[in-house]
């Protein structure tokens, strides 16, 4: 009886909390950070895509199994047909994605694109990503590029895409935004 009483008083080891189910939709930057994100991140990214390319997938996902957290990561592709050759539709498409995801109960994390050119100047598509209220987290450039600078040391030779060190740094910043 004493052994049973002691066992009943022993601290119960609890399992760590299950991390939130996260889906990241994005372009080549999403592809580059994917290997550096934890297993609970499902990455749906493809180079050259824009938010408009993913709206059908987002609609399908929210109707079947919406994520707890949705991450939108697009840096400004204009080569895909649905953009019409400009990033002007990014604001409308990101807003539509955000409405769909929030209506399904997802927290939406919009990750701003790091500045181009190795300096603190903002990426022009970031103007499309303005926060609009509850259940939306804004990951500004300063969080993904501390000090607002994403130097050429983190870029591929094209001056835009991330090299392995840049992808790791960007992934670490994204993980901080998704709590």
């Amino acid at each position: 009886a004493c052994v049973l009483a002691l066992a009943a008083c022993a601290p119960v080891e609890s399992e760590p909390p299950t991390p939130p189910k996260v889906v990241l939709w994005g372009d080549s930057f999403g592809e580059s950070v994917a290997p550096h994100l934890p297993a609970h991140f499902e990455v749906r990214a493809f180079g050259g895509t824009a938010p408009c390319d993913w709206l059908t997938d987002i609609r399908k996902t929210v109707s079947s199994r919406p994520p707890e957290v949705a991450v939108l990561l697009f840096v400004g592709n204009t080569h895909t047909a649905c953009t019409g050759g400009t990033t002007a539709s990014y604001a409308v498409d990101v807003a539509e994605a955000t409405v769909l995801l929030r209506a399904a109960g997802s927290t939406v994390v919009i990750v701003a694109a790091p500045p181009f050119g190795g300096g603190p100047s903002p990426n022009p598509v970031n103007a499309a990503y303005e926060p609009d209220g509850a259940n939306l987290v804004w990951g500004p450039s300063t969080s993904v590029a501390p000090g607002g600078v994403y130097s050429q040391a983190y870029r591929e030779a094209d001056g835009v895409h991330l090299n392995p060190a840049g992808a790791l740094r960007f992934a670490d910043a994204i993980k901080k935004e998704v709590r």
Side-chain angles (χ1 to χ4, degrees):
C2 291
V3 173
L4 290 176
L6 289 175
C9 296
V12 177
E13 298 224 8
S14 63
E15 293 184 31
T18 304
K21 185 179 108 189
V22 180
V23 177
L24 181 149
W25 282 275
D27 52 24
S28 58
F29 276 54
E31 283 185 304
S32 69
V33 300
H36 307 290
L37 295 173
H40 67 279
F41 274 73
E42 180 181 327
V43 178
R44 299 178 187 180
F46 192 76
T49 59
C52 53
D53 291 303
W54 293 100
L55 289 173
T56 299
D57 186 65
I58 290 170
R59 283 186 202 99
K60 187 171 125 181
T61 300
V62 299
S63 70
S64 61
R65 55 177 195 97
E68 291 177 33
V69 179
V71 179
L72 303 176
L73 170 59
F74 296 94
V75 299
N77 293 302
T78 60
H79 302 293
T80 184
C82 65
T83 65
T86 74
T87 57
S89 67
Y90 269 48
V92 172
D93 299 331
V94 167
E96 181 178 346
T98 299
V99 167
L100 290 166
L101 290 158
R102 288 171 65 183
S106 300
T107 297
V108 179
V109 177
I110 297 174
V111 179
F116 290 141
S121 62
N123 182 306
V125 302
N126 288 344
Y129 305 148
E130 292 300 322
D132 67 350
N135 205 25
L136 180 66
V137 177
W138 172 241
S141 295
T142 53
S143 69
V144 295
V149 177
Y150 228 79
S151 73
Q152 286 307 113
Y154 297 108
R155 302 272 189 196
E156 292 289 349
D158 67 4
V160 174
H161 293 93
L162 302 174
N163 64 24
L168 177 61
R169 181 177 180 183
F170 201 61
D172 286 344
I174 291 168
K175 288 185 283 190
K176 288 177 188 171
E177 294 295 336
V178 178
R179 295 176 180 85

